[in-house]
Amino acid sequence: QVQLVESGGGLVQAGGSLRLSCAASGSIFRADAMGWYRQAPGKQRELVATITRGGTTNYGDSVKGRFTISRDNNKNTVYLQMNALKPEDTAVYYCNAEIRITWYDRKDYWGQGTQVTVSS
């Protein structure tokens, strides 16, 4: 079994910062791409940022220049540093990871979500 456990969400004022963490645990051979998505009330889930095992990153347009994704391959952990937060960043943030439990068996996993609320 593989689990993704997120932490770091909370309430912050506009202009503030938060750092999210997501640790993958269980029977893991290797973690491939990892990333963050978010879903605001009444909206579809959207891409925040992804990062490959080699460190190539991709960001959603709305967070470019403000958020930074990084990872620690030894810890199977991905981070999201969020700066200059805006009220429109308020959402539940979900961690996603492509996990190989063997070289040939790769599956997509999601965390339970962590709430980020930005007050104006």
Side-chain angles (χ1 to χ4, degrees):
Q1 276 288 33
V2 173
Q3 285 188 320
L4 302 183
V5 178
E6 299 134 334
S7 60
L11 173 64
V12 65
Q13 288 189 331
S17 298
L18 282 175
R19 189 187 193 217
L20 305 182
S21 299
C22 171
S25 63
S27 300
I28 298 172
F29 173 75
R30 198 178 83 170
D32 288 345
M34 303 182 80
W36 293 93
Y37 293 75
R38 68 187 182 186
Q39 188 167 18
K43 296 187 177 181
Q44 289 188 331
R45 191 171 295 190
E46 65 174 357
L47 166 73
V48 177
T50 62
I51 184 168
T52 67
R53 185 172 179 82
T56 300
T57 58
N58 181 47
Y59 293 92
D61 288 341
S62 62
V63 307
K64 285 179 181 177
R66 300 187 297 123
F67 292 9
T68 302
I69 191 170
S70 61
R71 64 186 288 168
D72 184 332
N73 289 335
N74 291 326
K75 296 181 179 179
N76 293 321
T77 299
V78 63
Y79 306 96
L80 185 69
Q81 178 66 43
M82 304 185 292
N83 297 329
L85 282 160
K86 304 175 181 179
E88 51 263 45
D89 293 318
T90 295
V92 177
Y93 284 69
Y94 296 93
C95 175
N96 173 264
E98 296 177 347
I99 301 292
R100 295 181 189 266
I101 57 174
T102 68
W103 177 256
Y104 301 102
D105 189 356
R106 187 174 72 177
K107 295 181 181 178
D108 214 33
Y109 292 88
W110 290 89
Q112 79 284 357
T114 185
Q115 177 71 44
V116 171
T117 303
V118 184
S119 63
S120 57

